[in-house]
Amino acid sequence: MTLHDYIGILRRSWLLIVIATVAGAVIALILSLLSTPIYQAQSQLFVSVKSAGQVTDAYSGGLFVQQRVKSYVDVIDSPAVLDPVIQELGLDMTYTQLAPKVSAQTPPNTVLLNVTATDTSPTRAAEIANATATSFAAEISRLEGATPPADDGSSDTTTGTSDSEVPVQATVIKPAEVPGSPISPRTRLNLLLGLLLGALIGVGIAVLRHTLDTS
């Protein structure tokens, strides 16, 4: 068929195409409204390296930390990190149930760690992100060989370990805020996709009907 034939099909079947387009948008809207909103919150940690209480050479220390943070990402869903979060927030779940809700990423060539948490409650998402970041920082210090601090009030409140004894320490520099809107469902995008899919289905039906018409 030529382009003129297709244009003719669209003109004759415009009502069918419109109905299919509207139906696609309505279905997408209904599915979006029925979906449970998911909120996401993110906190950020800064990882630094020290030696005997003194800051090491900035360049070599930075390279060292950049290599280490890549390994820290895999620790985020461990029981050592998540069990304290569950206890602190009084969550009715195990660490295996909490693990899918949290994740960690490190931007390339940085000493930053982004801790992300998702939940159906925006407030709880922020609470989980902040509690996980704090627990994460403490676990990093423990893994790097920090010894328990003396009970003299000199311990770091972020990591829970003595600053002078921590070769690598992580500090929360950007606490998570309560998100104002969900990341899912994306109603506007779903509507656009519904409109597009409905229009394509309508055009497909119109062309198929013309092809099968032998009258």
Side-chain angles (χ1 to χ4, degrees):
M1 290 189 296
T2 64
L3 178 61
H4 179 74
D5 294 328
Y6 283 110
I7 294 176
I9 294 173
L10 296 180
R11 285 178 177 176
R12 291 191 299 271
S13 305
W14 67 269
L15 182 58
L16 171 64
I17 297 172
V18 169
I19 292 175
T21 302
V22 173
V26 170
I27 293 173
L29 178 60
I30 292 175
L31 292 176
S32 296
L33 294 177
L34 292 177
S35 300
T36 301
I38 302 297
Y39 296 86
Q40 177 177 283
Q42 185 179 88
S43 57
Q44 190 174 73
L45 300 119
F46 179 84
V47 184
S48 57
V49 60
K50 291 187 177 183
S51 178
Q54 301 296 324
V55 179
T56 62
D57 176 74
Y59 179 75
S60 60
L63 290 179
F64 173 78
V65 173
Q66 285 182 24
Q67 294 298 319
R68 302 296 280 179
V69 293
K70 297 176 182 179
S71 299
Y72 298 152
V73 169
D74 296 329
V75 180
I76 189 70
D77 59 355
S78 65
V81 173
L82 299 184
D83 282 343
V85 175
I86 294 172
Q87 295 177 5
E88 177 183 344
L89 301 180
L91 302 177
D92 185 21
M93 61 178 67
T94 64
Y95 88 90
T96 56
Q97 294 172 315
L98 179 58
K101 294 176 175 285
V102 298
S103 62
Q105 304 85 29
T106 176
N109 302 319
T110 70
V111 293
L112 301 175
L113 282 168
N114 297 326
V115 177
T116 303
T118 58
D119 197 85
T120 54
S121 165
T123 302
R124 191 161 57 239
E127 291 175 346
I128 292 175
N130 287 325
T132 303
T134 301
S135 179
F136 196 20
E139 180 62 11
I140 288 174
S141 296
R142 188 191 69 81
L143 291 173
E144 293 297 344
T147 57
D151 189 13
D152 57 2
S154 62
S155 61
D156 189 311
T157 57
T158 301
T159 62
T161 54
S162 174
D163 182 68
S164 62
E165 296 172 337
V166 181
V168 175
Q169 66 176 15
T171 306
V172 178
I173 59 173
K174 189 181 295 182
E177 298 181 354
V178 178
S181 58
I183 60 169
S184 174
R186 301 174 65 179
T187 304
R188 183 176 299 179
L189 177 60
N190 290 344
L191 279 175
L192 291 176
L193 292 176
L195 285 169
L196 179 60
L197 183 59
L200 290 176
I201 292 175
V203 171
I205 293 175
V207 173
L208 181 62
R209 188 172 65 175
H210 174 79
T211 303
L212 297 177
D213 186 4
T214 58
S215 59

